[in-house]
Amino acid sequence: MFILTLYEHYKFNFCFFLFCFSLHSQEGFNDLKEYGLRGRVKSFESTYYSTKEIQEMWIIDTLKSKSKVDFDENGNITKIVNLSFSESELKIETIEFQRDKNERKISYKKYNEYEVFETGTYKWIDERKYQINSIDSFGIRTESEFTLTKNLRDKSGTTAYFDSKSGEYLLTYKYENILDEYGNLLRSKITYEPIDKSSIMIYDVQELDSMGNWIKINLYYEDEDFRQIMIRKIEYYN
């Protein structure tokens, strides 16, 4: 039962992971390039909605979560703030990164108003592959490895979950991103083990801004009854 609960949690948060977590910076590059963003982006705010189908059209239904990502003038992230909504409460989580002298991320911490509840460290294998080891206050430890394209866009990743006290293996999920020639994310193949689940997440861009960055996108699983609409507001430096 716990493994299935973990699966459901990460299934519905996977799209946020792709846009706001798997981030990379090294000499000559910055986080904007990892996102595939164009222009001197200062911040972007993403709002996620569930949908409902009316007359064969998917329309916005319920506000589910929001996130804001702030960038410095060098194009690197300074802070990520996540807000999730439910009938009973509002949850606010913040992620901050620590960097080395070359602006490459070496660790992160995730916290709410009460505590730091997750920390992680980065280990670089080469310029296009890195690992993250993390542990949280809920008893989960993770071991992740990510591979980037030659242009340093997110290509694929694997994360294994363990019980941090017993060391028991719980779950692994893997993803592989399909990008177009401009580095835009088209779809992701997602696989879960050992429960033998796989899905294709489709990213259907609806609107672009004047810089060519998407500001509205439909997210859905190819073979499942799941839809989200994400609207993104982007602010640029002058």
Side-chain angles (χ1 to χ4, degrees):
M1 180 62 71
F2 178 76
I3 291 177
L4 289 175
T5 301
L6 192 65
Y7 155 69
E8 290 295 332
H9 172 77
Y10 285 98
K11 171 184 171 184
F12 289 103
N13 286 279
F14 178 76
C15 54
F16 177 79
F17 170 85
L18 286 179
F19 291 116
C20 296
F21 190 74
S22 179
L23 311 175
H24 168 74
S25 178
Q26 67 177 45
E27 187 176 359
F29 296 90
N30 56 34
D31 290 336
L32 289 178
K33 294 184 179 181
E34 173 72 8
Y35 275 101
L37 287 164
R38 301 168 177 85
R40 299 183 66 241
V41 175
K42 184 176 183 180
S43 68
F44 68 77
E45 183 176 291
S46 301
T47 306
Y48 299 80
Y49 298 91
S50 62
T51 64
K52 58 184 177 182
E53 187 177 16
I54 297 180
Q55 296 180 347
E56 299 184 351
M57 295 183 61
W58 293 92
I59 64 171
I60 289 174
D61 185 17
T62 305
L63 174 63
K64 303 298 290 186
S65 64
K66 298 180 73 172
S67 65
K68 186 179 181 185
V69 182
D70 294 323
F71 297 85
D72 63 22
E73 293 197 56
N74 294 320
N76 290 315
I77 292 172
T78 58
K79 184 189 296 184
I80 300 174
V81 179
N82 303 322
L83 292 81
S84 58
F85 304 89
S86 68
E87 294 181 358
S88 59
E89 62 180 335
L90 166 65
K91 293 183 179 180
I92 303 175
E93 301 175 353
T94 302
I95 306 172
E96 293 182 352
F97 300 92
Q98 294 72 49
R99 302 174 183 271
D100 63 19
K101 62 181 181 180
N102 295 318
E103 291 294 306
R104 186 164 63 179
K105 281 187 283 294
I106 55 176
S107 64
Y108 75 89
K109 64 178 179 180
K110 188 183 296 187
Y111 59 91
N112 54 30
E113 60 182 307
Y114 305 109
E115 62 176 350
V116 174
F117 64 86
E118 182 177 319
T119 58
T121 57
Y122 289 74
K123 178 181 178 181
W124 294 90
I125 307 303
D126 57 42
E127 65 177 7
R128 292 198 293 166
K129 184 175 291 186
Y130 64 94
Q131 298 171 339
I132 302 176
N133 291 329
S134 74
I135 189 166
D136 66 26
S137 60
F138 308 108
I140 301 297
R141 178 176 62 84
T142 69
E143 297 178 0
S144 303
E145 183 168 291
F146 302 95
T147 302
L148 310 173
T149 70
K150 64 180 181 180
N151 296 319
L152 300 184
R153 290 283 279 128
D154 187 25
K155 180 181 180 182
S156 61
T158 300
T159 298
Y161 294 84
F162 303 86
D163 185 302
S164 62
K165 293 182 179 180
S166 68
E168 178 186 3
Y169 165 73
L170 302 172
L171 177 70
T172 295
Y173 82 74
K174 302 178 181 180
Y175 69 88
E176 182 177 359
N177 291 333
I178 307 300
L179 308 171
D180 68 15
E181 59 183 311
Y182 304 107
N184 298 312
L185 184 59
L186 300 177
R187 63 183 63 86
S188 300
K189 180 180 180 181
I190 309 161
T191 305
Y192 298 87
E193 300 172 354
I195 55 179
D196 194 28
K197 286 277 188 177
S198 63
S199 301
I200 302 292
M201 172 70 86
I202 306 296
Y203 305 89
D204 182 15
V205 173
Q206 299 295 299
E207 295 181 34
L208 301 173
D209 69 5
S210 60
M211 295 297 295
N213 295 314
W214 66 261
I215 53 175
K216 183 178 180 181
I217 194 168
N218 292 343
L219 309 169
Y220 60 93
Y221 287 109
E222 188 176 59
D223 56 351
E224 298 182 30
D225 186 22
F226 168 76
R227 296 287 189 280
Q228 278 194 342
I229 292 176
M230 182 162 61
I231 295 175
R232 189 164 69 173
K233 180 181 179 181
I234 305 176
E235 181 181 5
Y236 295 90
Y237 284 103
N238 295 327

